[in-house]
Amino acid sequence: MSLPEIVFRVGGAAGDGVSSTAESFAKMCSRSGLHVWTYSSYQSVIRGGHVWTQVRGSPEPVLSHGTVPNVLVCLNQQTMDVHQGDILAGGAIVYDSDLVKPDPSRVAKGVRLLGMSLRKLAQTITPNAIVRNTVALGAAVRLYEIDFRHVESAFQDIWGDKKPEIVEQNVRAAKLGADAVDRAGGSLHLGVPFPEEPRYLMTGNEAVALGALAAGVRFHAQYPMTPASSILHWMAAHGPAHGVVVKQVEDELAAMNMAIGAGHAGVRSMVATSGGGFCLMVEAIGQAGMTETPLVAVVVQRGGPSTGLPTKTEQGDLNLVLGAGQGDWPRGILAPRHTQECFDLTAKAFNLAEVYQTPIVLLSDLYLGEGFRTVDKLDFNVPIVRGLTAADGGAIQGRFKRYAYTDSGVSPRAFPGTRGYQFVAATDEHMENGELISDVLAGLPEFVEERRKMHEKRMRKLVGLRKDMPPPELWGSANADLTLIHWGSTWGPAHEAILHVEEEDGVHVNSLEFPTLFPFHADETLRILKGVKRTLSIEGNYTGQFARLLRAETGYQPTFSFPKYDGEPFTWREIADKILEVVA
């Protein structure tokens, strides 16, 4: 039987401090020893709109942001109007009684309505009432019986270094909210146990940045684009202290070209963007394929096409990264399923990029990239594998062949400035020493053969890449009635749905998951699929881009499909309902 849990939702307009309130609350939960998972729904405006964030905390591992909350904080009327009917019986709604009116007919029986003059309470501390959201946060802390020392700890973490007076001000504001709850009947008495062993809390984007740091990244170029921007923010704040050159550039094309230049010079380099920005990078990334330059590109997906839904999630860029760049060239595409894997696969991507001298794309999305999750301790002892260089590859000084034909397709690499290992690196087709065959030699019989051999040399890298990239995994019950097929951030809600239908409905389901999207593990996939009964493909896009890739690589057509393309992440309840529908 599951233990009681916290599902906290706060909403208001952009500019009301919804995000900071939720982040502070998530920190308090993780420092209380709870597992935490958050999801923020926001709009692409500086002020106004409707913004809400949900924080789920539990002494047991959590796999999604959950469904209905037991405490709601309303900082404006729209939040009350939209969410008041969602609150579980036995829960509470905290609202600013100067601005917000509830409709008791829409609220479940047993839900406490805690109207507070948040603005007036806040103005007892500061004239501009900027901390009214903290007063509400203090009320939530008391309703859940979170130890108040974690409030001060979280605020100290956020403002302590620069503005200690702000810490003191917010602690006082939070106590006002907690005292108001005490006067109104005290906590909800949910009985949530707090292990009191702090857990690491971070977003997927922060885990990507940490993974890059662990892997020895030394150059990061990026143009800000939601939902990848926080990678740049983190890198700008922390990268230079660890020897990383961080460039905010004029556009994504410049970012990609700078990263190619750094990679060519022997520096571990990375770019990050979303689908729209990666479109601009496509013109350049083929250059890395032809010059055999290692780099890591992080694509954090959002709703498309074009600028689409800048602040909403989707898995619609798989086709884009599969086909990015002119012609054929070997690439690797990794898709982390959770925050821990954001760290692990980013670190792995740097080694793959250098070993195979080609770009590696890490395909994430908004739900994973921006959501806060607790993780186990990260292992920063990442082995650094630089791949084959001229010094250890038996290359001959003075007669260096940068693009020498090899069985693996990988040729010894020399860094610019290495005496005796000069070579030509151009985006045109070339011979083993880099000399071009495109201008006057293409089409002559000898050089037709050279082109064929050089192209085959590059593409042979796919064999090694496939071998070194994580294979698909089958998770869950043996002899299941149904197998889910999914990739990326759908992992958490899918696992939770499986656990629910097994426990509550007696339906046995497992899941086939793909941390590697390309080169595709066709043999391993077919071997697993031969042992399953029926399959349900789950994807956050309209056309089932991964299902098409699966069919193209294996000939296998999933029995059922469940696409979602409304900008919101899958919930475990949606997936569970679909499972029950298809097995009925």
Side-chain angles (χ1 to χ4, degrees):
M1 184 175 177
S2 298
L3 295 172
E5 64 179 20
I6 286 170
V7 183
F8 169 70
R9 188 181 295 176
V10 53
D16 279 344
V18 171
S19 177
S20 61
T21 301
E23 183 178 342
S24 298
F25 187 78
K27 287 179 185 289
M28 295 168 198
C29 289
S30 65
R31 290 170 190 204
S32 301
L34 300 182
H35 298 267
V36 174
W37 191 296
T38 78
Y39 169 61
S40 292
S41 175
Y42 64 102
Q43 298 170 349
S44 186
V45 292
I46 303 298
R47 293 195 66 84
H50 177 52
V51 179
W52 61 272
T53 297
Q54 185 152 300
V55 181
R56 185 183 185 192
S58 171
E60 298 176 329
V62 287
L63 294 166
S64 74
H65 61 287
T67 51
V68 292
N70 36 35
V71 170
L72 169 68
V73 167
C74 300
L75 296 175
N76 66 0
Q77 185 64 48
Q78 189 174 25
T79 302
M80 179 68 82
D81 294 342
V82 172
H83 301 282
Q84 60 186 325
D86 292 344
I87 311 308
L88 281 170
I93 300 176
V94 177
Y95 60 96
D96 191 331
S97 56
D98 295 332
L99 305 171
V100 181
K101 300 298 179 191
D103 179 355
S105 68
R106 295 182 55 199
V107 177
K109 288 184 178 179
V111 172
R112 289 165 58 184
L113 296 175
L114 297 174
M116 301 178 189
S117 182
L118 297 177
R119 182 179 298 275
K120 290 177 181 173
L121 287 169
Q123 284 177 330
T124 64
I125 295 172
T126 175
N128 63 10
I130 196 171
V131 296
R132 74 182 181 111
N133 58 325
T134 307
V135 177
L137 177 62
V141 166
R142 184 56 53 89
L143 285 167
Y144 285 119
E145 300 179 279
I146 295 173
D147 193 317
F148 216 79
R149 64 191 168 91
H150 298 304
V151 173
E152 184 166 356
S153 168
F155 292 163
Q156 188 71 35
D157 185 50
I158 297 169
W159 298 295
D161 289 345
K162 296 179 180 176
K163 297 179 178 178
E165 69 277 11
I166 300 296
V167 175
E168 186 269 338
Q169 194 177 74
N170 277 272
V171 170
R172 287 171 57 202
K175 285 181 176 174
L176 288 176
D179 292 343
V181 167
D182 287 339
R183 291 192 297 273
S187 80
L188 295 176
H189 303 291
L190 295 177
V192 178
F194 296 99
E196 296 296 345
E197 294 180 6
R199 295 184 175 278
Y200 295 101
L201 180 73
M202 65 186 67
T203 66
N205 282 349
E206 289 172 343
V208 164
L210 284 166
L213 211 62
V217 65
R218 287 294 177 268
F219 182 77
H220 178 74
Q222 186 172 346
Y223 181 78
M225 186 174 188
T226 304
S229 297
S230 58
I231 295 176
L232 176 61
H233 301 161
W234 195 97
M235 277 295 189
H238 304 287
H242 297 276
V244 185
V245 174
V246 181
K247 293 285 290 183
Q248 178 178 331
V249 294
E250 63 269 33
D251 56 39
E252 285 85 354
L253 191 58
M256 178 57 76
N257 276 307
M258 285 188 181
I260 292 171
H264 176 73
V267 171
R268 290 199 155 191
S269 65
M270 182 170 83
V271 297
T273 184
S274 189
F278 194 68
C279 285
L280 299 174
M281 293 179 174
V282 164
E283 183 180 352
I285 197 169
Q287 178 184 177
M290 179 61 91
T291 59
E292 306 191 34
T293 301
L295 65 89
V296 174
V298 182
V299 179
V300 190
Q301 300 167 96
R302 68 188 203 186
S306 189
T307 46
L309 292 170
T311 60
K312 296 298 175 184
T313 198
E314 195 166 277
Q315 293 179 301
D317 292 331
L318 173 56
N319 286 345
L320 170 66
V321 298
L322 275 170
Q326 313 89 327
D328 283 332
W329 47 271
R331 73 198 72 192
I333 304 173
L334 295 164
R337 292 166 288 181
H338 44 73
T339 309
Q340 179 79 42
E341 214 163 59
C342 285
F343 176 89
D344 295 338
L345 291 186
T346 301
K348 187 175 186 65
F350 279 91
N351 284 341
L352 291 171
E354 288 210 310
V355 168
Y356 293 98
Q357 300 175 17
T358 199
I360 302 294
V361 179
L362 196 83
L363 193 57
S364 175
D365 60 37
L366 181 145
Y367 185 52
L368 177 57
E370 292 194 339
F372 282 92
R373 317 278 155 79
T374 41
V375 297
D376 295 332
K377 188 176 181 179
L378 303 177
D379 183 3
F380 283 83
N381 294 313
V382 174
I384 307 297
V385 185
R386 300 300 308 267
L388 190 62
T389 65
D392 58 20
I396 301 173
Q397 188 176 20
R399 290 189 294 156
F400 178 52
K401 293 182 178 180
R402 166 66 184 95
Y403 304 106
Y405 299 129
T406 63
D407 291 341
S408 67
V410 179
S411 310
R413 186 163 64 125
F415 302 126
T418 306
R419 186 183 297 274
Y421 291 94
Q422 293 86 353
F423 62 98
V424 175
T427 57
D428 283 31
E429 189 57 282
H430 46 256
M431 294 184 281
E432 288 180 284
N433 62 0
E435 184 181 348
L436 305 189
I437 63 174
S438 55
D439 293 338
V440 297
L441 302 177
L444 297 177
E446 176 185 352
F447 298 100
V448 169
E449 181 63 9
E450 287 285 346
R451 153 65 182 185
R452 185 187 64 77
K453 289 172 62 178
M454 186 56 67
H455 201 44
E456 290 175 352
K457 180 202 91 76
R458 287 190 294 268
M459 299 306 288
R460 279 198 292 274
K461 297 178 183 181
L462 288 173
V463 177
L465 260 177
R466 183 180 293 108
K467 182 180 175 185
D468 285 349
M469 296 178 84
E473 297 176 11
L474 186 66
W475 179 87
S477 302
N479 301 316
D481 304 312
L482 181 72
T483 298
L484 305 187
I485 296 175
H486 57 88
W487 60 283
S489 68
T490 309
W491 168 85
H495 277 212
E496 186 163 2
I498 289 171
L499 294 172
H500 273 278
V501 297
E502 289 198 333
E503 180 178 339
E504 298 165 9
D505 304 285
V507 177
H508 297 293
V509 182
N510 56 21
S511 72
L512 178 55
E513 304 161 11
F514 293 83
T516 293
L517 303 181
F518 192 83
F520 197 85
H521 287 277
D523 292 341
E524 296 92 331
T525 302
L526 279 172
R527 195 157 45 243
I528 295 172
L529 287 171
K530 284 178 181 175
V532 307
K533 298 175 183 173
R534 295 176 292 176
T535 55
L536 170 62
S537 174
I538 301 169
E539 281 192 75
N541 61 66
Y542 184 88
T543 57
Q545 295 183 13
F546 181 79
R548 292 171 65 189
L549 175 64
L550 173 67
R551 188 166 65 249
E553 295 282 350
T554 66
Y556 182 85
Q557 174 71 41
T559 319
F560 308 99
S561 64
F562 184 23
K564 186 169 185 179
Y565 37 85
D566 58 6
E568 299 297 325
F570 282 101
T571 67
W572 71 261
R573 184 71 263 172
E574 290 173 320
I575 297 173
D577 289 345
K578 189 67 180 180
I579 291 171
L580 297 176
E581 175 189 323
V582 302
V583 300

